């Protein structure tokens, strides 16, 4: 049994993202026929005015970013509800986890180190009863899954015993305006803790890549 933490990876090449402000400016100035005012330094203030002052966010829909999410199935079920996006997700129908072991995502409230855990492993003494129950449930799910495969079930049949904590990978592509909406929603206090766990660091990455577009979004951080 393999235990890992959630993570994200921006797949869109940085050199593409670095040209987005110029594209947004070119599209935005079409509305006002002010292309003659484009200079090597005009994109940043122009986009800042559109997004932050005028709230003219439709112009940033011309650019999109793709991200790979490594999360559990519960989080992925929430991700795919964002309809203005494209998704490619790891399939439990066709992926066979019997050979390399099932991988589960460690929730942020469980204090276990990532790694491979074999039968009879001695768990850290600091774990609570609830944390030990989660661990034993994941271990039992893997054991049952493998036994069902050995009994002739296909992966799409045996997956019925796998829990929400099962690791999945999702590549998600959407435009910058939708990313702004997602970050406001999924980094808020009302968001699921595991969603905030991946979205807050991802927002920080986006703020580094495109500060003009994302710098005004402030996530909720528990004290």
């Amino acid at each position: 049994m393999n235990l890992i933490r959630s993570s994200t990876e921006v797949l869109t090449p940085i050199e593409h993202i670095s040209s987005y402000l110029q594209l947004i400016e070119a599209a935005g100035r079409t509305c006002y026929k002010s292309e003659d005012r484009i200079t090597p330094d005009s994109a940043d203030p122009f986009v800042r005015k559109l997004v932050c002052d005028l709230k003219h966010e439709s112009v940033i829909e011309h650019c999109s970013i793709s991200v790979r999410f490594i999360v559990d199935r519960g989080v992925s079920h929430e991700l795919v509800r964002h309809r203005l996006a494209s998704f490619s997700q790891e399939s439990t129908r066709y992926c066979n986890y019997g050979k390399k072991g099932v991988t589960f995502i460690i929730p942020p409230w469980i204090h276990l180190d990532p790694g491979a855990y074999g039968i009879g492993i001695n768990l850290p003494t600091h774990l609570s009863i609830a944390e030990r129950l989660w661990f034993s449930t994941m271990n039992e799910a893997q054991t049952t899954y493998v036994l069902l495969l050995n009994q002739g079930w296909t992966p799409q049949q045996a997956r019925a015993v796998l829990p929400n904590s099962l690791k999945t990978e999702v590549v998600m592509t959407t435009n910058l305006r939708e990313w702004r909406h997602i970050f406001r929603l999924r980094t808020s206090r009302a968001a699921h803790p595991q969603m905030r766990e991946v979205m807050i660091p991802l927002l920080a990455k986006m703020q580094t890549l495109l500060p003009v577009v994302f710098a005004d979004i402030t996530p909720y951080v528990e004290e």
Side-chain angles (χ1 to χ4, degrees):
M1 179 173 67
N2 305 304
L3 301 182
I4 65 173
R5 295 286 180 183
S6 299
S7 63
T8 62
E9 176 190 3
V10 177
L11 299 182
T12 304
I14 294 177
E15 57 268 25
H16 291 183
I17 297 174
S18 63
S19 67
Y20 279 177
L21 295 187
Q22 286 72 31
L23 173 56
I24 295 169
E25 181 185 23
R29 288 196 181 279
T30 300
C31 302
Y32 312 105
K33 298 311 299 173
S34 60
E35 294 93 336
D36 59 315
R37 298 179 63 181
I38 294 177
T39 70
D41 303 318
S42 61
D44 190 292
F46 180 82
V47 176
R48 187 182 304 275
K49 182 176 181 179
L50 282 182
V51 175
C52 299
D53 299 337
L54 300 179
K55 308 301 181 184
H56 188 184
E57 295 188 358
S58 64
V59 183
I60 63 175
E61 293 176 11
H62 292 289
C63 300
S64 63
I65 292 179
S66 299
V67 175
R68 182 190 306 278
F69 289 87
I70 300 179
V71 292
D72 74 8
R73 298 291 297 193
V75 171
S76 75
H77 295 334
E78 295 189 38
L79 281 177
V80 299
R81 293 179 66 186
H82 293 284
R83 299 183 182 182
L84 298 180
S86 298
F87 299 94
S88 297
Q89 183 170 5
E90 177 180 349
S91 173
T92 53
R93 289 190 64 196
Y94 303 109
C95 295
N96 188 323
Y97 306 121
K99 296 180 180 180
K100 295 184 179 180
V102 183
T103 300
F104 301 104
I105 296 293
I106 308 170
W109 55 86
I110 292 182
H111 303 92
L112 268 172
D113 292 329
Y117 288 80
I119 298 175
I121 189 74
N122 291 321
L123 295 177
T125 57
H126 68 262
L127 291 183
S128 66
I129 293 176
E131 289 171 315
R132 291 174 182 275
L133 283 172
W134 177 86
F135 179 90
S136 63
T137 300
M138 298 307 105
N139 193 41
E140 183 176 356
Q142 174 182 259
T143 300
T144 305
Y145 175 83
V146 173
L147 286 173
L148 291 174
L149 292 177
N150 292 338
Q151 290 298 311
W153 282 27
T154 62
Q156 69 176 358
Q157 293 173 320
R159 74 175 185 179
V161 299
L162 296 176
N164 267 353
S165 287
L166 177 69
K167 183 272 294 183
T168 189
E169 297 188 22
V170 184
V171 174
M172 176 179 178
T173 302
T174 193
N175 66 64
L176 301 185
R177 186 182 194 180
E178 182 66 6
W179 276 122
R180 282 178 57 83
H181 166 71
I182 290 168
F183 286 133
R184 285 194 293 260
L185 182 68
R186 300 302 189 180
T187 66
S188 71
R189 184 172 186 173
H192 192 280
Q194 285 180 275
M195 184 66 81
R196 287 202 305 271
E197 183 185 27
V198 290
M199 283 298 183
I200 292 176
L202 180 59
L203 172 59
K205 293 179 186 177
M206 297 286 198
Q207 290 173 331
T208 299
L209 293 170
L210 283 173
V212 176
V213 176
F214 296 106
D216 64 318
I217 302 174
T218 302
Y220 169 78
V221 179
E222 293 182 345
E223 297 180 356

